[in-house]
Amino acid sequence: MKTCLVFLFAIVALAAAANVSCPPVDDEHGEAVVLPHESDCSKFYLCSNGVPWELSCKEGLYFNTETNTCDWQENVNCSNVGTTPGGQK
């Protein structure tokens, strides 16, 4: 049952990230590539071997494109109007 839930979660994450264009390979150091979400400042994509995985920052944090980490609002340049940290709307 647990395996089925993990598999279902993976399918949902891939479907949500289907419109993201990840590089076909990881960076020159073998690390996954991180991209900002197109419409929600509290989300981002982790690209691994060309496959995008949509992830969310913890509540109260936004994705910082300069550091590729979740960060406090005052440290983030978020231009996506109408989004809130942690995926709350």
Side-chain angles (χ1 to χ4, degrees):
M1 179 69 171
K2 185 176 180 181
T3 304
C4 290
L5 289 174
V6 170
F7 183 70
L8 180 61
F9 175 73
I11 290 173
V12 170
L14 285 173
N19 61 345
V20 175
S21 180
C22 286
V25 295
D26 295 342
D27 73 7
E28 64 274 6
H29 304 289
E31 298 291 324
V33 176
V34 182
L35 300 173
H37 191 275
E38 65 278 1
S39 63
D40 189 335
C41 294
S42 68
K43 295 182 180 182
F44 60 97
Y45 295 102
L46 180 68
C47 298
S48 180
N49 295 312
V51 178
W53 296 90
E54 184 180 286
L55 302 172
S56 296
C57 295
K58 290 191 177 193
E59 186 175 336
L61 301 177
Y62 288 98
F63 182 70
N64 186 328
T65 57
E66 293 180 17
T67 61
N68 286 338
T69 61
C70 294
D71 202 347
W72 301 111
Q73 182 178 5
E74 59 267 14
N75 300 326
V76 176
N77 182 12
C78 179
S79 61
N80 296 333
V81 178
T83 61
T84 58
Q88 297 177 351
K89 299 211 182 222

